[in-house]
Amino acid sequence: MSSKLPSHLLPWLVVLTFASFYFFSSFLSLHSFSSSTTSQLLAISKCNLFTGHWVSDPDRTPLYDQTCPFHRNAWNCLRNERQNMSFINSWKWVPRNCHLNRIDPFRFLGRMRNRNIGFVGDSLNENFLASFLCTLRVADEGAKKWKKKGAWRGAYFPKFNVTVGYHRAVLLSRYQWQPKQAKAGIQDGSEGFYRVDVDIPANDWAKIAGFYDVLVFNTGHWWNNDKFPEEKPLVFYKAGQAIVPPLGMLDGLKIVLANTITYIQKEFPRNTLKFWRLQSPRHFYGGNWNQNGSCLFNRPLKENELDSWFEPRNNGVNRDARVLNGVIQEALQGTDIHLLDLTHLSEFRADAHPAIWLGRKDAVAVWGQDCMHWCLPGVPDTWVDILSQLIHDGLKNN
C-alpha cells in the first residue's frame, strides 16, 4: 500500500524547500565573509595565537645562550649579566582556546629546505631576527653570517640551504638628509630636513622580490619627533616634488604605507608569504627614554594594568604602539599581507627589556635605559614560536 503526501501539505513543502535553500546559501555567504575578514586578524592560523596570558613554567629554559654568534651586544642579556634572566625566561605564552607549539628548529628548517626568509624594517625586526637566527642555529651550528642582496645582516644554514636575512629600512621609503640652503642670512632654527620619497622604496629592500619565500615587514618606531625633531623634520615628496600642503608625521606614514603596500602587491610574487608585524610596545616608566624613563621591573604586568600604560587617551609615553597599529591595520585591509599582531602579548612584559644591562659602562649615560628592545633570550623567542607556526600553516595552504 503506497502512501501519498496529502495535497494540502504540498505548498508548505515547496516553501520549506526554498527557505532551506535560502538559509543555506546565506550561511555560506556569511561564513565566506567572516572567514575573509578574520583571516588577517588571525593571520593564517586556525586559532588566534595573539590573545591569551603568560603562565609561569619553572621548567622552561631557552634554546640558546650567550655564545650564539648572531647576538647583538646590547641585547645579549646573559652575557651582560642582567638580573633575573632565569625568571624572565620562565614565562610561557598560552593563547586562549588553542595551543602554541614551541618551535622545533630541526623540523622547521627541514620544512623550509631550499627556501628563504626575509625581515624588512627597523631595529625591532632586527631584534626579532637575532632571536630567530640563534634559535635556528640549534639545528645547524655551521650557520654562517650572510650579508647579500642589500641585507644589513643575516645567516645561511648550509645543512638545509636556507637563508634568513634582515634589510634595514626604518621608514620603508627612501629618505635622505638635505642640509639647509642659506638664504640672505635668514635663520629659522632649522638645520635642514630629511626628504622622504613616498613612492620609492628604500634601496636596502627595493630589489629583493623573488628571493624570499617568506617576508616580515614592519615600521613605526622612527615615526616620532624624538627621531625627527622640528629642527630636522621629515618632508614628503612624490614623483620628485614636495607634497603640498606639507604632511604631518602621521599623515606622512599613511601615504608611505599606501605606496609601500602597492609596491609589494605589484612587485612580489603572489605565492610569497607576506606578514606585517604590528608594533612592539615600549615600557618606559617615569618619563621617556631621554627623561630618565626606567623599566626595572621584576614581573610581567597584569592585564588590568595594560590600558594605563598603553591606551592613547591616557596620553602616556608608551601610547604610540596602539595609535600606529590602527593606522597600519587600516592600510592593510583588502591585501594578502597577514597581520602578525605581537603587540598585546608583548605589552605584559615590562620585565624583559635590557634596561641598564647594555654591555657598556657608559651606555645608560649616553642613551638612557633600553626599555624598547628586548633581552635575548626572551620575549622575541615567543614571537619566533608564533611566526614558525604561521609559516607552517601558510606554506601548507599555498
Side-chain angles (χ1 to χ4, degrees):
M1 179 175 178
S2 64
S3 60
K4 279 192 175 183
L5 188 70
S7 59
H8 69 279
L9 292 182
L10 283 174
W12 291 106
L13 180 61
V14 172
V15 170
L16 182 62
T17 302
F18 277 100
S20 300
F21 178 77
Y22 171 78
F23 284 117
F24 182 68
S25 300
S26 299
F27 171 78
L28 287 179
S29 299
L30 179 62
H31 178 73
S32 175
F33 174 77
S34 174
S35 297
S36 65
T37 53
T38 58
S39 63
Q40 274 193 308
L41 293 177
L42 307 185
I44 44 185
S45 178
K46 294 178 181 177
C47 65
N48 188 345
L49 300 173
F50 309 132
T51 60
H53 60 282
W54 292 91
V55 298
S56 178
D57 180 359
D59 296 325
R60 187 177 178 87
T61 57
L63 296 179
Y64 59 92
D65 61 20
Q66 67 270 25
T67 64
C68 172
F70 303 117
H71 270 299
R72 183 165 163 177
N73 183 45
W75 308 333
N76 189 348
C77 291
L78 288 175
R79 192 176 72 178
N80 297 336
E81 299 182 341
R82 194 215 193 281
Q83 295 176 1
N84 297 324
M85 280 298 288
S86 294
F87 188 63
I88 286 171
N89 283 293
S90 70
W91 294 92
K92 178 174 67 174
W93 177 249
V94 179
R96 191 171 297 148
N97 300 323
C98 59
H99 180 69
L100 173 63
N101 294 311
R102 196 171 197 184
I103 186 174
D104 179 333
F106 294 91
R107 292 185 65 188
F108 178 80
L109 281 172
R111 293 188 186 113
M112 291 301 299
R113 188 179 298 276
N114 302 322
R115 292 186 171 115
N116 304 317
I117 304 169
F119 291 77
V120 179
D122 58 34
S123 60
L124 270 300
N125 252 11
E126 183 184 358
N127 206 179
F128 196 173
L129 171 101
S131 167
F132 205 21
L133 297 184
C134 286
T135 298
L136 296 181
R137 184 178 174 270
V138 171
D140 188 354
E141 292 187 354
K144 303 172 183 178
K145 293 182 179 181
W146 181 88
K147 194 175 179 180
K148 298 178 182 178
K149 301 281 183 182
W152 182 268
R153 59 182 296 201
Y156 174 66
F157 298 87
K159 283 186 180 179
F160 303 91
N161 191 31
V162 171
T163 298
V164 183
Y166 162 65
H167 298 258
R168 180 177 170 84
V170 297
L171 301 182
L172 295 179
S173 286
R174 187 178 73 182
Y175 80 102
Q176 53 191 339
W177 173 248
Q178 304 284 313
K180 181 178 179 179
Q181 302 295 321
K183 290 185 179 180
I186 296 175
Q187 298 294 327
D188 60 4
S190 68
E191 301 175 21
F193 64 91
Y194 286 95
R195 170 175 169 162
V196 183
D197 288 283
V198 300
D199 50 349
I200 302 176
N203 292 335
D204 306 75
W205 71 278
K207 298 179 180 178
I208 62 173
F211 180 73
Y212 292 109
D213 302 276
V214 180
L215 281 162
V216 181
F217 295 92
N218 98 291
T219 191
H221 290 283
W222 281 61
W223 293 90
N224 58 69
N225 291 325
D226 290 333
K227 295 292 187 182
F228 300 105
E230 289 184 5
E231 63 272 18
K232 298 179 180 179
L234 296 178
V235 177
F236 299 95
Y237 280 66
K238 188 171 185 178
Q241 301 295 318
I243 296 175
V244 179
L247 300 175
M249 187 80 70
L250 205 58
D251 287 331
L253 171 60
K254 290 177 182 178
I255 196 168
V256 164
L257 288 172
N259 282 273
T260 297
I261 291 167
T262 297
Y263 179 82
I264 293 170
Q265 297 286 89
K266 178 182 177 184
E267 299 295 333
F268 286 73
R270 289 194 62 82
N271 62 351
T272 302
L273 187 57
K274 299 176 281 287
F275 296 94
W276 199 292
R277 181 184 61 75
L278 295 184
Q279 296 307 101
S280 172
R282 312 181 317 158
H283 288 94
F284 288 100
Y285 181 79
N288 216 326
W289 66 274
N290 56 354
Q291 300 168 329
N292 296 317
S294 176
C295 51
L296 298 175
F297 296 90
N298 57 18
R299 63 163 181 84
L301 300 176
K302 297 177 181 177
E303 185 143 19
N304 61 9
E305 297 177 289
L306 299 183
D307 281 351
S308 66
W309 278 75
F310 303 109
E311 171 54 47
R313 288 174 294 185
N314 294 331
N315 206 34
V317 298
N318 305 293
R319 66 186 180 277
D320 288 352
R322 292 187 182 183
V323 173
L324 294 171
N325 278 357
V327 174
I328 293 167
Q329 286 173 297
E330 184 176 351
L332 290 174
Q333 287 183 3
T335 73
D336 65 349
I337 302 172
H338 304 283
L339 287 177
L340 188 58
D341 187 359
L342 303 174
T343 306
H344 177 66
L345 71 90
S346 305
E347 286 182 342
F348 291 91
R349 299 308 303 274
D351 60 315
H353 297 282
I356 61 175
W357 293 275
L358 299 172
R360 278 180 52 177
K361 291 182 178 179
D362 63 343
V364 175
V366 175
W367 296 302
Q369 292 191 30
D370 188 350
C371 303
M372 180 171 69
H373 300 98
W374 300 94
C375 276
L376 295 180
V379 170
D381 301 338
T382 295
W383 299 358
V384 168
D385 292 339
I386 292 173
L387 178 62
S388 65
Q389 190 157 320
L390 295 178
I391 290 174
H392 172 258
D393 294 344
L395 292 179
K396 184 172 61 178
N397 295 332
N398 261 4

